[in-house]
Amino acid sequence: RKEAPDVMEAKAFCEAALPRAPAQRFAALFAERARWAWEDLGPYVEPLDVGTPDTKTDVLLMRYTRKIQPDADKPPLYGKR
C-alpha cells in the first residue's frame, strides 16, 4: 500500500487582519500551521519590528518560536515555543 505524500496547503493571510500584539499574532499563525519556513513567516513578523529592542525580529523569534533544523543542509523551520 502506498502512502500519500505530505502536502502542505497554502493559505494566504492578510497581514493587517492579524493581531498586532506579538503573542496573539504568533498564536494565530501557529494555529494555522505548526511549522513555518522564514520565507513564509517573515512577512507576518517583520511588520512588528518598530525599532525598539523588544520588537526586533530576532528577539521576537527567540521569544515566540522554536527553531527546528533537522538537516544542516536545509533551511530551518520555526515552530511554536
Side-chain angles (χ1 to χ4, degrees):
R1 180 178 126 170
K2 288 186 176 181
E3 294 293 321
D6 289 335
V7 176
M8 182 177 283
E9 185 176 318
K11 179 179 178 181
F13 288 99
C14 175
E15 188 273 327
L18 289 169
R20 189 79 188 130
Q24 287 81 17
R25 178 167 295 206
F26 279 98
L29 292 168
F30 287 125
E32 285 296 321
R33 189 186 316 169
R35 294 182 177 168
W36 292 75
W38 174 248
E39 63 190 28
D40 298 328
L41 185 61
Y44 304 113
V45 176
E46 289 172 339
L48 299 174
D49 187 345
V50 294
T52 64
D54 285 346
T55 63
K56 290 191 174 287
T57 301
D58 58 334
V59 172
L60 293 172
L61 289 175
M62 285 190 298
R63 185 175 293 151
Y64 296 106
T65 71
R66 176 164 295 167
K67 188 174 177 180
I68 304 157
Q69 191 163 10
D71 295 317
D73 61 333
K74 293 186 179 178
L77 298 174
Y78 295 90
K80 182 178 176 182
R81 179 167 284 282

